[in-house]
Amino acid sequence: MLLPILLSLAALPSTLILWSAISLHSNLTKARSIGLPIFIRYITPTNPLWMAFGSSIVRLARRYNLATSNFSRFYLFGWDANERYHMHAELGDAFTLVSPGGNWIYVAEPKACWDILKRPRDFGRNLEQLKVLDVYGKNLSTTEGHEWQKHRKITAVTFTERNNELVWSSSLEQGQGMLRYWLERSPQPIRSVADDCKTFTLNVLAASLFSKPYPFEGQEEMKARHTSIENPSDDDSHQYRDSFSRILRGIILIAIFGGETLKTSSWMPKSWNQVGQAVQDFRSYVMTMIDEEREAVRHNRSTRKDLVSALVRASLAQKNEACISEQDIISNTFVYGFAGNDTTAITLAHTIMNLAAHPETQDWIREEIWDHCHDDTWPYATWSKLVRCQAVVMESLRLTHPLGSSSKLTKTTTTLTVNNTTYTLPPNSNVQVNFCGLHTNTNAWGTRAMDWDPARFIDANGQLRAFPEGVYVPWSHGERICPGKRFSQVELAAVLAVLFRGHGVEVVNEEGEGEEEARRRAERVSLDIQMSLLNEMWKPERVGLRWEEVE
Ligand code: HEM
Ligand SMILES: *[C@@H]1O[C@H](CO)[C@@H](O)[C@H](O)[C@H]1NC(C)=O
Ligand SMILES: *[C@@H]1O[C@H](CO)[C@@H](O)[C@H](O)[C@H]1NC(C)=O
Ligand SMILES: *[C@@H]1O[C@H](CO)[C@@H](O)[C@H](O)[C@H]1NC(C)=O
Ligand SMILES: *[C@@H]1O[C@H](CO)[C@@H](O)[C@H](O)[C@H]1NC(C)=O
Ligand SMILES: CC(=O)N[C@H]1CO[C@H](CO)[C@@H](O)[C@@H]1O
């Protein structure tokens, strides 16, 4: 009686194991035929269960010293961002990761990466990974080929200097708000830097996408506001930003169920219904905004510099059949918001953490800020003079990249040359342009590749250094280059200028810890990555920061 039950219970995992072993074997055969070095990972990196729980298991095993060195290194979600060039140094500048659920080719060699990014016909976008962005229909970052080109044209008319001016001024304003908030709480260590940076970028986006400025609000104030208002949708002042933020937080749910189902299903938790409601609200806000802007353009009253108004003007300017529809405007707005929110916030959080660990770098950028930012207003053109601020951002992106890599998929049988050897890749091969490995490649960056040294980005003339092809490409390269590159550079230069002109940040010592130890701890925390949707600092609240005025 008991035996069949036990047998069938045992059958499930053993079938799984058998299936895994068979597919691993077949994937190994495929990988061997390519000829790149092979690394075997016994759990598929994209296994949803492992994505949900694997990282906790790895962290637990590490804590109690139960993990083998390979388990500890390669099984965390976001492991590649932590490995950086280390694994390539052992396995080669390109290798194939073989797992039961598929193979991934990791590339960290400048010439090969450049080659991949320049050949979008051979190395296409890995669209599977971007399905979540289809909330408002297929658009910019989720399309390819002809359809993509159309969207990319739209992008060209929206990411303009006119908009970047707005990015500059709103980043200055938001930066001041954030600094004020930190100073008010200054006797206590600030442990919310990563979250505050998200609020900062979200507000800058609201200002530059919709011309909706919001005052900066810290974590506590935000919670207080949410609990004091019975029905959040009555709170008119924050509706754009809050619905946008709610969508971004619920993006996985939306991808699974769709906005309409989430809104109307009574069996779902209330918070899920709210996500569905937010999808609808956001659509209607943007619709209203489009109508207002159309009206304004018709009466020659349009003065707005934001992205949505630029899209509306572009759609009105086209004489022939309306290429840019309302739907396109909404979906692109959403994709910009999605792509520009956390990427920039994560970069800023790393930058601040690293600056706290390196007071000498703070002095170094302050010198420059004093040269270019005087007491009066700071014109937009200032941003390009702040080369040291830009260098600090670049150094943060080099060591910790929010996306980690760019995923490509080969369309047909194609070749890739790595280190003078040419390999033939079959169709549908996953190829990862591994930014984290590439940017710490010791052949290109030297033995001090892992050290924090922003000055490496400045040449003898005090200008930003130009690098050989493929050595440094954090915003990608080629036709798929990030359209928000300038946007984020302007935003980050502005906020650094505001934060460090009159103030400095230091790491708060823990019990029994010296100043230098505290700084090294901040550095370690900054390099400890775990992936959620993007690569983020793991538990940044482990480091308390204190802001103080400098004389
Ligand atoms: C430090 C900040 C940023 C970094 C490091 C960054 C990096 C990147 C990279 C590497 C890609 C290419 C992705 C791939 O090939 O898989 C990309 C694409 C994109 N980024 Fe950014 N980005 C940043 C900020 C922004 C901002 C602020 C915006 C918009 C406001 C933005 C909008 C986009 C969009 C729309 C795409 C898709 C483009 C396309 O598919 O043609 N990004 N970004
Ligand atoms: C551990 O990882 C290294 C690559 O860094 C690899 O060469 C080795 O085979 C791995 N060991 C096991 C048991 O998988
Ligand atoms: C590239 O090739 C050279 C010569 O064949 C070899 O010495 C070197 O180790 C290779 N580099 C990498 C990273 O594979
Ligand atoms: C708006 O400006 C254009 C060109 O500057 C002019 O031709 C048009 O008559 C103006 N329309 C209104 C309503 O003022
Ligand atoms: C690759 O080939 C080029 C040209 O033949 C040569 O200059 C270079 O040194 C080679 N690189 C390696 C790593 O062998
Ligand atoms: C051009 C394009 O792909 N736009 C699409 C955006 O998403 C909606 C909804 O799926 C489509 O109807 C549009 O055609």
Side-chain angles (χ1 to χ4, degrees):
M1 195 56 212
L2 208 61
L3 195 64
I5 298 176
L6 281 178
L7 273 180
S8 46
L9 272 181
L12 189 67
S14 47
T15 325
L16 258 177
I17 290 170
L18 190 67
W19 175 85
S20 289
I22 294 172
S23 13
L24 186 65
H25 183 76
S26 115
N27 287 339
L28 255 175
T29 314
K30 284 183 208 155
R32 288 208 179 99
S33 72
I34 297 174
L36 283 166
I38 284 172
F39 173 71
I40 301 175
R41 199 181 117 135
Y42 297 94
I43 302 170
T44 312
T46 52
N47 177 327
L49 267 178
W50 194 255
M51 277 161 74
F53 304 110
S55 297
S56 312
I57 298 173
V58 173
R59 298 250 178 216
L60 210 67
R62 274 189 197 171
R63 191 151 128 218
Y64 295 105
N65 266 327
L66 297 170
T68 65
S69 138
N70 279 15
F71 183 72
S72 165
R73 280 175 65 188
F74 301 115
Y75 288 77
L76 195 77
F77 192 30
W79 61 281
D80 35 359
N82 285 308
E83 274 296 311
R84 299 184 179 84
Y85 191 66
H86 193 186
M87 60 181 176
H88 287 282
E90 287 168 16
L91 293 157
D93 279 2
F95 65 87
T96 308
L97 181 147
V98 179
S99 78
N103 294 347
W104 280 264
I105 297 166
Y106 280 79
V107 187
E109 202 259 329
K111 280 215 183 87
C113 289
W114 190 256
D115 191 31
I116 294 168
L117 298 174
K118 297 256 287 195
R119 288 161 56 199
R121 308 286 165 267
D122 299 332
F123 297 91
R125 195 65 168 263
N126 190 346
L127 296 177
E128 273 306 303
Q129 297 197 335
L130 295 155
K131 281 265 162 23
V132 285
L133 290 179
D134 280 346
V135 179
Y136 287 107
K138 289 198 177 306
N139 290 299
L140 184 59
S141 106
T142 61
T143 55
E144 266 211 312
H146 191 68
E147 203 176 290
W148 171 82
Q149 278 171 357
K150 181 191 130 184
H151 283 286
R152 193 67 198 214
K153 268 199 211 111
I154 303 179
T155 322
V157 303
T158 48
F159 287 90
T160 57
E161 287 300 281
R162 182 175 151 115
N163 185 249
N164 288 335
E165 257 180 76
L166 186 58
V167 173
W168 172 255
S169 59
S170 49
S171 304
L172 291 177
E173 204 171 299
Q174 289 298 324
Q176 265 143 14
M178 185 159 70
L179 180 62
R180 208 174 307 125
Y181 169 72
W182 284 338
L183 288 172
E184 274 162 18
R185 306 187 37 195
S186 75
Q188 299 158 277
I190 309 286
R191 295 187 185 272
S192 58
V193 172
D195 286 332
D196 293 335
C197 288
K198 286 186 184 177
T199 310
F200 167 81
T201 52
L202 190 66
N203 283 359
V204 171
L205 272 171
S208 354
L209 289 175
F210 327 119
S211 285
K212 294 283 169 195
Y214 298 102
F216 182 87
E217 219 179 13
Q219 292 301 305
E220 264 108 74
E221 291 163 283
M222 206 180 310
K223 273 193 210 110
R225 184 168 54 77
H226 278 290
T227 47
S228 71
I229 301 159
E230 292 284 281
N231 184 353
S233 61
D234 292 347
D235 173 25
D236 195 52
S237 64
H238 290 79
Q239 49 182 212
Y240 283 87
R241 204 201 57 186
D242 285 358
S243 66
F244 196 49
S245 156
R246 193 165 273 148
I247 293 170
L248 290 176
R249 267 179 282 142
I251 190 122
I252 307 271
L253 285 176
I254 301 170
I256 298 173
F257 297 105
E260 200 49 38
T261 317
L262 279 177
K263 194 181 75 149
T264 50
S265 301
S266 53
W267 57 270
M268 286 183 179
K270 193 153 172 272
S271 62
W272 293 20
N273 296 147
Q274 286 174 345
V275 171
Q277 184 65 43
V279 173
Q280 196 195 31
D281 290 348
F282 182 69
R283 186 195 305 275
S284 66
Y285 299 148
V286 178
M287 282 296 198
T288 316
M289 210 157 23
I290 293 172
D291 289 340
E292 283 170 7
E293 184 61 13
R294 285 213 174 118
E295 236 356 73
V297 170
R298 207 162 331 142
H299 295 99
N300 284 356
R301 277 194 279 105
S302 171
T303 53
R304 281 167 41 184
K305 293 178 177 174
D306 58 278
L307 286 175
V308 170
S309 78
L311 283 170
V312 171
R313 269 181 272 116
S315 78
L316 291 175
Q318 47 197 359
K319 299 283 182 306
N320 45 3
E321 80 281 19
C323 269
I324 308 176
S325 64
E326 280 176 357
Q327 181 64 45
D328 293 338
I329 297 181
I330 294 176
S331 60
N332 277 313
T333 307
F334 177 75
V335 168
Y336 300 158
F338 182 81
N341 177 22
D342 273 4
T343 44
T344 317
I346 292 169
T347 308
L348 179 57
H350 279 293
T351 306
I352 291 174
M353 197 64 95
N354 280 316
L355 284 168
H358 297 273
E360 72 286 356
T361 312
Q362 297 184 41
D363 296 336
W364 184 67
I365 63 170
R366 193 170 297 116
E367 217 173 270
E368 166 189 87
I369 299 169
W370 282 352
D371 277 348
H372 299 294
C373 302
H374 305 287
D375 283 331
D376 43 357
T377 53
W378 308 342
Y380 168 63
T382 313
W383 91 269
S384 60
K385 299 185 190 141
L386 299 173
V387 290
R388 290 181 182 178
C389 291
Q390 291 178 59
V392 166
V393 168
M394 287 175 162
E395 184 70 343
S396 295
L397 277 173
R398 191 180 69 79
L399 291 169
T400 48
H401 193 281
L403 302 181
S405 51
S406 176
S407 289
K408 306 290 179 188
L409 202 63
T410 54
K411 304 269 118 167
T412 52
T413 301
T414 188
T415 59
L416 179 66
T417 303
V418 187
N419 198 13
N420 284 359
T421 312
T422 300
Y423 301 89
T424 304
L425 312 183
N428 289 320
S429 304
N430 283 301
V431 178
Q432 304 284 109
V433 176
N434 180 7
F435 295 132
C436 303
L438 177 66
H439 295 158
T440 49
N441 186 329
T442 43
N443 299 316
W445 296 91
T447 48
R448 293 183 55 243
M450 278 308 297
D451 294 355
W452 166 264
D453 177 20
R456 67 171 96 230
F457 285 94
I458 306 285
D459 67 14
N461 301 322
Q463 295 304 310
L464 285 174
R465 165 171 296 158
F467 288 96
E469 294 179 346
V471 168
Y472 188 67
V473 285
W475 284 276
S476 190
H477 175 77
E479 64 171 32
R480 284 277 185 172
I481 191 172
C482 172
K485 176 177 177 183
R486 180 62 68 82
F487 186 121
S488 53
Q489 285 179 313
V490 168
E491 177 175 357
L492 292 167
V495 67
L496 290 178
V498 168
L499 293 177
F500 289 96
R501 192 173 89 111
H503 296 83
V505 63
E506 59 183 21
V507 184
V508 178
N509 298 358
E510 298 293 339
E511 287 266 308
E513 191 183 46
E515 207 167 57
E516 198 48 37
E517 278 170 89
R519 288 181 192 152
R520 298 291 75 80
R521 178 166 53 86
E523 205 166 43
R524 270 199 313 279
V525 169
S526 165
L527 291 174
D528 186 2
I529 306 298
Q530 188 161 313
M531 194 160 184
S532 48
L533 223 45
L534 296 174
N535 287 322
E536 301 196 43
M537 224 185 298
W538 189 62
K539 294 204 171 166
E541 66 276 11
R542 284 180 287 169
V543 177
L545 299 179
R546 188 186 299 116
W547 288 84
E548 261 165 13
E549 208 167 330
V550 292
E551 62 296 328

